[in-house]
Amino acid sequence: MHSIFRKLFLYLLFFVVSASAKADSLTAFTKANSRYKTAQPATASKAATGVTPCVATGLKCEHLVTPLGVDAAHPRLSWQLEDTRPGARQTAYQIRVSDDSLTLNTHPLWTSGKINRADILTTYSGKALDPFTRYYWSVEVWDKDGVKSIARRSWFETGMRQQNNWKGAWISDNDDVRLKPAANFRKVFTADNTIKSARAYIAVAGLYELYINGKKAGNHRLDPMYTRFDRRTLYVTYDVTSLMQSGKNAIGVMLGNGWYNHQSTAVWNFHEAPWRGRPAFCLDLRVTYTDGTVETISSGKDWKTALGPIVFNSIYTAEHYDARKEQPGWNTVNFDDSKWKDVIYRAAPSQNIVSQQLYPIENVEEIPAAGVTHPNDSTWIYDLGRNIAGVSKIRVSGAAGTVIKLKHGEQLDKKGFVDLSNIVVHYRPTDDTDPFQTDIFTLSGKGEETFMPHFNYKGFQYVEVTSSKPVQLNKESLTGYFMHSNVPPAGHVHGSDTMINKLFAATNNAYLSNLFGYPTDCPQREKNGWTGDAQIAIETGLYSYDGITIYEKWLADHRDEQQPNGVLPSIIPTGGWGYEWGNGPDWTSTIAIIPWNIYLFYGDATLLSASYDNMRRYVNRITEISPYGLTTWGLGDWVPVKSKSPVEFTSTAYYYADALILAKAAKLFGKTDDYTYYSALAEKIKTAFNAKYLNKETGIYGEGVQTEQSVALYWGLVPDSMKSKVAANLANRVAADNFHLDVGLLGTKSILNALSENGYADVAWKLAAQRTFPSWGWWIMNGATTLFENWDINASSDLSRNHIMFGEIGAWMYKGLAGIKPDENAPGFKNILLSPNFVEGLDHFEGSHDSPYGTVVSSWKRNGTAITYRVTVPANAGADIFFHISPTQKIYENDKPVTTQNTGKGLRYHVTAGTKEFQIR
């Protein structure tokens, strides 16, 4: 009898524990939110511990919240510490992973064991993961007092894992690259059992939209992301459970050209790309039934295809849509496809089909028209009030066959019509059937109709709508959509100067307008992945947005494009253009600079490690053609105001930066011989550079112009004993230039930083806040809502109004005013370097950055002659504050003097996690 009661007791106990675990699991999963930096834990859970207010939060796998389709053999797992107590820190952690949420705590497939470290990033190190499997994982942390928290849970799902797990065939409608209409594909199948879950895995050469029973899967735009198609093809995973139904189901796929079948002709020759082909796809729809059985419905010869209403589509120019050719219900079960034709097999575009693991492109922001004019009976000019990248959507009624043209541009001509002259300069059309940035919509005549492009985006503020027949339009008839990779915001700055706040917004708008699965130069004229623009803007992007997934994808593109001898093209990806022009250390140093910055900002060396051999081949190539330490390979200080620095000067500075990064990476990875060799190489470059360009008597580099003085300082080429003299000469030069810029692309990266890092923050601020030509503020004063391509807004060339190449100003606001910087000795903001500059002309300034450890805040306010400085350091992190004050000022905390250490970088004071407020008077 005793045995019976004991078994009953154990059964009830197991039921209670299991139910509790399941409830905890569901709570954690419900809280997961992929849009934001962290997933917030429930307040009740925090209080319920009764042990410690410390808990793990913001759980991510591969830097994403609950991702699908993970193919990494050893997925990265990360979290933050939620603990608001002063000095909060993690002393240990433990990870558990299981394919069963109920046994995660008791019988995990893998556990890290208790690790006595403060790490918030680790990798799964258990047995090989199975494909198509949801894995649950938890993290427990021990706080500063050694007290263990409750476990926090999340999950991720694996994808194909290996190429041979694909069941579908690559199919298309034909192989004619000249055929303009887009093809639709469909298949009907029957789900005989009760559906538990369904996942769609789709790889595409080109672009696509996927439909299940007439409804679009997901909210992504322009999938998959652009790659070197013949070397790496991306597939996307969707949870389509909610779109499925018992019985018959229909799958629909619409294919677009994208960069795979480029039919527009421009100077970069993408229409001659070696991978070019008619779009094709491979799909597996994996259905799991409640009885545990699995059925996979795949692409194959049993699919049907027909041309659809998209009669032309170009990622570069526009989309043409004839609504008269619509076949309503084409992607639903009961559609009659008897007149559709059979598909054909196609070879896979590459043998390297991998999961797309990054924040997708979306219609992020809906922008109603700010105004509309109606200059004649057939024309309407819409103004969105700001410059964006994206598309417009029009709602209109009219007679069948009415042709609506929507011309998108950044400016108006003197008569008030859309003017494309500033962005059409590189287009080389062969006829007039593909007008630049002009969608063409032919009405069906069936009541109110709506059109928005499926496979295109543009850069624009204005839309000129013309109609071949009378229609009625009003202000509400057209809407804009700001499209970009939907990276979560990760930072913000705000100051007492209205213009600088507008400039910060314009910088971010330009950055996002040029983020489409890879960083571009502009969203209209080119859409190219210019390396120089991206290396300049990398910090601007990482301070304001969580962009690691985009850059990891783009550096894989670098590895695909690199020649065996180390050479990289100036635009990446490329169809072949850019290996002979525009590349060199000043541009293609992206191969070193971007992985290094990802390491600094995230404390994650994965990308740096993956790119190491490519960095080494690149540096070796420069060394091979420049054996004496100076190199002339490069493009130079692009679009300068007036003074042009020698290409050898700027390219050698980047050569030095690359060699130094390579040496640091070698040391990090324990490559002793490489560390010794590349450290010596960096020193050789520095010596040769200074021997040629530095006048040791005067402290002048070259001709002493802004770019020369600042580049030498910023990239660390100036001997320590000369820094103060060189910096003083730079400040004097800026003053002689009436506190206006005299730099090009490369100089904008260095000028403000070189000043603020060497005791001349007030001079940097005068440059940054300048409102007259030439300056960033001059653009703002002339109505800019994004950054421009040329300082002179009336120049004869280089006139894009949405470029990111001058975008370092955004990063400098975090660094030079708020003073927030990562520490390479404790990367990922484990230790934060805070060096605020209380510049004259600003009454207050605040910068915040959502680091891997949590939000860093650096804020100061002027009160007469006194300054209040407030700083927040997230849990598990610390900070070194470097105060820059006059000899007559003192630092107080709670009215008590603060004892600091005098360093060459300022008065140092170390703080631990928490919020501190200081008074300087």
Side-chain angles (χ1 to χ4, degrees):
M1 194 70 175
H2 175 77
S3 175
I4 293 175
F5 282 124
R6 183 172 180 272
K7 288 180 179 179
L8 181 60
F9 172 76
L10 290 175
Y11 174 79
L12 291 172
L13 179 61
F14 176 79
F15 178 82
V16 171
V17 171
S18 297
S20 176
K22 188 173 183 180
D24 178 48
S25 173
L26 288 172
T27 300
F29 300 159
T30 302
K31 293 293 180 182
N33 185 334
S34 63
R35 176 67 182 91
Y36 295 101
K37 180 78 177 177
T38 59
Q40 299 299 324
T43 304
S45 298
K46 181 177 175 180
T49 67
V51 179
T52 174
C54 175
V55 68
T57 188
L59 278 63
K60 291 184 177 181
C61 173
E62 289 295 291
H63 296 285
L64 297 167
V65 176
T66 58
L68 302 174
V70 173
D71 277 351
H74 303 283
R76 291 165 290 179
L77 306 173
S78 60
W79 62 95
Q80 294 179 346
L81 203 66
E82 184 182 86
D83 189 340
T84 58
R85 295 173 295 174
R89 62 189 179 94
Q90 173 187 299
T91 56
Y93 71 91
Q94 179 168 261
I95 304 291
R96 292 186 176 94
V97 178
S98 178
D99 58 2
D100 186 341
S101 65
L102 298 181
T103 62
L104 179 60
N105 289 337
T106 56
H107 295 89
L109 295 178
W110 175 77
T111 178
S112 65
K114 183 180 180 182
I115 306 295
N116 295 312
R117 293 175 61 89
D119 300 343
I120 57 168
L121 173 70
T122 189
T123 56
Y124 168 79
S125 301
K127 71 173 186 177
L129 299 172
D130 293 324
F132 316 121
T133 303
R134 175 170 291 194
Y135 286 93
Y136 304 87
W137 68 283
S138 68
V139 56
E140 298 167 296
V141 295
W142 281 258
D143 71 3
K144 63 177 183 174
D145 300 318
V147 179
K148 185 173 71 170
S149 73
I150 61 170
R152 277 299 187 200
R153 295 182 167 205
S154 189
W155 56 263
F156 63 90
E157 278 190 17
T158 53
M160 286 288 170
R161 296 281 289 120
Q162 296 178 357
Q163 298 287 109
N164 58 11
N165 285 323
W166 284 94
K167 297 182 182 297
W170 280 87
I171 61 174
S172 185
D173 63 329
N174 65 68
D175 56 8
D176 183 1
V177 297
R178 296 166 299 178
L179 183 62
K180 292 184 177 182
N184 292 339
F185 302 80
R186 61 177 268 111
K187 175 181 171 58
V188 174
F189 69 96
T190 302
D192 291 325
N193 296 331
T194 304
I195 297 171
K196 178 183 178 182
S197 64
R199 300 289 183 268
Y201 305 90
I202 181 168
V204 177
L207 299 173
Y208 72 92
E209 288 184 356
L210 170 66
Y211 299 87
I212 306 292
N213 296 319
K215 296 180 180 178
K216 185 174 180 288
N219 60 352
H220 299 191
R221 301 296 311 277
L222 304 180
D223 265 341
M225 299 298 102
Y226 174 29
T227 60
R228 176 67 189 253
F229 295 104
D230 53 352
R231 295 177 183 169
R232 184 165 49 97
T233 308
L234 301 181
Y235 78 86
V236 183
T237 306
Y238 296 93
D239 180 350
V240 294
T241 309
S242 63
L243 303 182
M244 301 287 289
Q245 59 193 22
S246 297
K248 287 188 176 182
N249 289 266
I251 313 172
V253 174
M254 178 191 297
L255 291 187
N257 289 320
W259 295 99
Y260 181 67
N261 185 32
H262 206 271
Q263 293 177 317
S264 299
T265 48
V267 298
W268 305 281
N269 298 325
F270 281 107
H271 64 290
E272 297 177 353
W275 60 67
R276 187 178 174 190
R278 177 75 173 168
F281 74 98
C282 177
L283 178 141
D284 281 351
L285 176 60
R286 197 170 189 272
V287 183
T288 302
Y289 297 107
T290 53
D291 63 2
T293 59
V294 175
E295 180 182 10
T296 301
I297 297 89
S298 300
S299 51
K301 290 290 282 185
D302 54 347
W303 285 59
K304 293 287 189 177
T305 184
L307 299 180
I310 299 177
V311 293
F312 175 80
N313 69 101
S314 167
I315 188 70
Y316 181 62
T317 55
E319 186 165 302
H320 306 168
Y321 189 96
D322 189 341
R324 296 171 301 180
K325 297 180 180 295
E326 290 178 340
Q327 299 186 54
W330 69 271
N331 48 19
T332 61
V333 168
N334 295 321
F335 178 78
D336 179 6
D337 61 10
S338 58
K339 294 182 180 180
W340 286 37
K341 69 176 187 176
D342 294 337
V343 300
I344 64 169
Y345 284 136
R346 283 273 299 279
S350 78
Q351 296 304 307
N352 185 23
I353 302 172
V354 298
S355 180
Q356 178 173 298
Q357 291 293 310
L358 75 170
Y359 287 105
I361 299 167
E362 297 179 23
N363 283 357
V364 178
E365 185 179 354
E366 182 179 298
I367 303 173
V372 61
T373 60
H374 189 30
N376 57 52
D377 290 344
S378 61
T379 306
W380 294 258
I381 311 294
Y382 287 87
D383 179 2
L384 297 185
R386 55 185 283 203
N387 203 357
I388 65 167
V391 293
S392 63
K393 181 170 73 174
I394 191 168
R395 291 172 296 277
V396 59
S397 300
T402 302
V403 177
I404 307 292
K405 293 186 177 180
L406 300 98
K407 181 195 294 187
H408 300 72
E410 296 186 316
Q411 62 188 25
L412 302 178
D413 62 21
K414 293 179 180 179
K415 295 182 179 180
F417 293 89
V418 168
D419 175 15
L420 300 179
S421 62
N422 69 314
I423 54 175
V424 76
V425 292
H426 296 309
Y427 184 31
R428 302 290 184 268
T430 56
D431 55 40
D432 60 357
T433 61
D434 179 19
F436 192 62
Q437 290 216 142
T438 303
D439 292 326
I440 301 176
F441 178 33
T442 304
L443 303 187
S444 68
K446 298 176 182 179
E448 184 176 79
E449 304 178 58
T450 300
F451 168 73
M452 180 177 70
H454 297 263
F455 302 123
N456 168 266
Y457 76 97
K458 308 166 188 72
F460 67 102
Q461 176 174 336
Y462 304 97
V463 184
E464 179 181 307
V465 179
T466 57
S467 176
S468 64
K469 297 179 182 179
V471 295
Q472 295 296 318
L473 298 176
N474 56 38
K475 183 180 173 184
E476 288 69 40
S477 298
L478 185 133
T479 304
Y481 288 90
F482 190 7
M483 287 170 60
H484 54 79
S485 292
N486 199 7
V487 286
H492 186 71
V493 302
H494 183 80
S496 55
D497 188 309
T498 303
M499 191 277 291
I500 208 75
N501 295 331
K502 291 181 178 179
L503 180 54
F504 177 71
T507 301
N508 285 343
N509 284 335
Y511 177 78
L512 293 174
S513 293
N514 286 287
L515 203 66
F516 279 76
Y518 65 108
T520 67
D521 61 327
C522 56
Q524 10 67 7
R525 192 185 69 201
E526 297 194 32
K527 300 182 173 76
N528 279 320
W530 278 98
T531 50
D533 302 51
Q535 64 91 354
I536 293 293
I538 179 63
E539 291 176 279
T540 290
L542 295 182
Y543 272 113
S544 288
Y545 299 97
D546 178 14
I548 184 172
T549 59
I550 307 298
Y551 289 108
E552 287 190 330
K553 177 266 176 192
W554 195 48
L555 266 293
D557 297 331
H558 278 61
R559 298 193 292 273
D560 287 341
E561 297 285 14
Q562 189 175 33
Q563 298 281 6
N565 67 358
V567 172
L568 288 158
S570 51
I571 59 171
I572 297 174
T574 180
W577 190 94
Y579 287 101
E580 302 296 334
W581 188 87
N583 53 350
D586 49 359
W587 248 246
T588 40
S589 286
T590 43
I591 193 64
I593 289 173
I594 287 180
W596 181 248
N597 274 280
I598 292 294
Y599 172 66
L600 292 181
F601 273 76
Y602 287 88
D604 185 344
T606 303
L607 181 59
L608 191 64
S609 176
S611 305
Y612 182 84
D613 287 338
N614 306 84
M615 292 161 49
R616 182 169 57 181
R617 275 193 284 148
Y618 185 66
V619 170
N620 289 348
R621 174 60 180 171
I622 306 172
T623 304
E624 180 183 345
I625 63 175
S626 312
Y628 302 109
L630 300 174
T631 183
T632 58
W633 183 27
L635 193 54
D637 199 20
W638 193 246
V639 193
V641 175
K642 59 179 186 291
S643 300
K644 181 74 172 180
S645 302
V647 170
E648 183 183 70
F649 187 99
T650 49
S651 285
T652 299
Y654 276 93
Y655 177 28
Y656 172 75
D658 294 342
L660 196 60
I661 288 171
L662 187 52
K664 291 176 179 179
K667 184 177 182 180
L668 179 68
F669 301 135
K671 300 178 183 292
T672 306
D673 291 345
D674 279 4
Y675 172 67
T676 301
Y677 174 79
Y678 291 108
S679 295
L681 176 61
E683 190 60 33
K684 175 184 175 180
I685 298 166
K686 184 175 183 178
T687 300
F689 180 85
N690 286 320
K692 180 167 184 177
Y693 289 106
L694 173 60
N695 185 325
K696 293 184 179 179
E697 296 297 322
T698 62
I700 296 289
Y701 275 89
E703 298 298 319
V705 299
Q706 289 182 23
T707 291
E708 292 170 329
Q709 295 295 108
S710 63
V711 161
L713 280 167
Y714 178 73
W715 292 111
L717 288 151
V718 181
D720 290 344
S721 61
M722 297 291 296
K723 283 183 178 179
S724 60
K725 183 176 284 190
V726 174
N729 285 329
L730 173 60
N732 291 335
R733 179 62 192 231
V734 172
D737 291 327
N738 199 25
F739 299 99
H740 284 75
L741 291 167
D742 183 22
V743 293
L745 171 67
L746 305 180
T748 58
K749 182 68 180 179
S750 58
I751 182 68
L752 299 178
N753 295 298
L755 288 165
S756 58
E757 291 171 2
N758 291 281
Y760 294 95
D762 286 325
V763 177
W765 166 246
K766 287 183 180 180
L767 270 179
Q770 186 60 255
R771 284 160 162 78
T772 56
F773 174 82
S775 66
W776 287 282
W778 174 240
W779 297 336
I780 301 301
M781 299 303 291
N782 280 271
T785 58
T786 47
L787 302 186
F788 291 177
E789 187 190 11
N790 202 317
W791 303 113
D792 183 359
I793 60 178
N794 296 310
S796 59
S797 63
D798 303 306
L799 288 175
S800 161
R801 292 174 178 256
N802 199 345
H803 249 68
I804 192 55
M805 72 181 196
F806 291 132
E808 169 62 16
I809 180 73
W812 177 80
M813 293 182 196
Y814 289 96
K815 295 182 288 184
L817 296 176
I820 302 172
K821 297 179 183 179
D823 182 349
E824 69 177 68
N825 295 312
F829 295 91
K830 172 65 175 173
N831 188 60
I832 307 147
L833 302 180
L834 295 171
S835 186
N837 287 300
F838 315 123
V839 296
E840 293 294 333
L842 273 180
D843 293 327
H844 64 82
F845 194 83
E846 176 175 311
S848 64
H849 173 65
D850 294 339
S851 78
Y853 288 86
T855 302
V856 181
V857 180
S858 178
S859 173
W860 54 268
K861 184 175 183 179
R862 198 182 305 280
N863 304 294
T865 58
I867 293 170
T868 299
Y869 178 58
R870 185 178 177 88
V871 58
T872 298
V873 176
N876 209 25
D880 289 317
I881 305 174
F882 296 90
F883 290 99
H884 308 285
I885 60 175
S886 70
T888 61
Q889 291 178 311
K890 291 184 178 181
I891 306 165
Y892 300 87
E893 183 181 7
N894 298 324
D895 290 324
K896 295 180 180 179
V898 171
T899 302
T900 60
Q901 177 187 6
N902 197 349
T903 72
K905 298 179 180 179
L907 300 176
R908 177 182 176 273
Y909 184 68
H910 185 76
V911 296
T912 56
T915 298
K916 301 277 188 179
E917 186 170 286
F918 303 91
Q919 297 79 41
I920 301 167
R921 56 181 184 265

